[in-house]
Amino acid sequence: MTAQLKIRNGQLELTENNRTSWSIELKSIQLIGEYTTEGGPFVDDYFLVFANSNGTLYEVSNDLTNDPTFWAKLSDELNCQLQPELANSTDFNSRILYPGHLTSEPLFNLIVSGTDELELSDQAKGQLNNTI
């Protein structure tokens, strides 16, 4: 499967096999974050999360942002410097990239149980609750 995450016509789009899987209006993005798991290096372990003004979360592998201009374009569109920093993390970690006042706050809390689960952090919930 060929997948791409791209910015086009005021939208953030995920295309798979030349078909749009989802798109978000750039102006409706309320939250962007990144997180890593302990799953690598043989499976995806680094992910990005985008949330729109409805509170819908869209998750993609960080591998889809290999275009060197992706983060610069998105930063320009959102008028906020976006700088992912978890590429070398080998454990669970998460952080918010956008909005700027929440940069580096945790995106998720890891709930350790028989099946580990991720829960949005209070900071992320607060941002989304203010927009829904």
Side-chain angles (χ1 to χ4, degrees):
M1 171 170 33
T2 303
Q4 288 184 305
L5 186 64
K6 54 189 167 185
I7 299 165
R8 182 171 57 182
N9 300 325
Q11 304 275 327
L12 179 64
E13 285 184 348
L14 175 66
T15 59
E16 298 176 281
N17 298 322
N18 296 317
R19 298 182 72 184
T20 301
S21 295
W22 54 258
S23 66
I24 306 172
E25 283 187 69
L26 292 173
K27 65 183 179 184
S28 77
I29 294 175
Q30 298 299 313
L31 185 72
I32 300 173
E34 61 181 333
Y35 77 95
T36 59
T37 69
E38 297 174 349
F42 301 109
V43 296
D44 279 343
D45 65 345
Y46 185 15
F47 301 93
L48 300 169
V49 175
F50 301 89
N52 66 10
S53 54
N54 295 330
T56 303
L57 300 179
Y58 300 88
E59 180 180 303
V60 298
S61 168
N62 184 64
D63 291 343
L64 299 183
T65 62
N66 287 336
D67 174 354
T69 64
F70 176 82
W71 289 109
K73 286 180 189 176
L74 191 55
S75 293
D76 286 346
E77 291 285 344
L78 298 176
N79 197 30
C80 179
Q81 182 61 40
L82 302 172
Q83 186 64 49
E85 296 181 357
L86 298 181
N88 296 320
S89 178
T90 58
D91 297 318
F92 168 77
N93 202 346
S94 74
R95 64 188 285 274
I96 294 173
L97 301 172
Y98 176 84
H101 70 278
L102 293 176
T103 298
S104 295
E105 293 290 338
L107 173 65
F108 289 118
N109 298 318
L110 177 64
I111 309 300
V112 179
S113 62
T115 58
D116 294 344
E117 297 178 32
L118 298 178
E119 172 185 79
L120 279 175
S121 68
D122 290 341
Q123 295 88 338
K125 287 179 190 175
Q127 175 67 22
L128 294 177
N129 286 338
N130 289 332
T131 60
I132 296 175

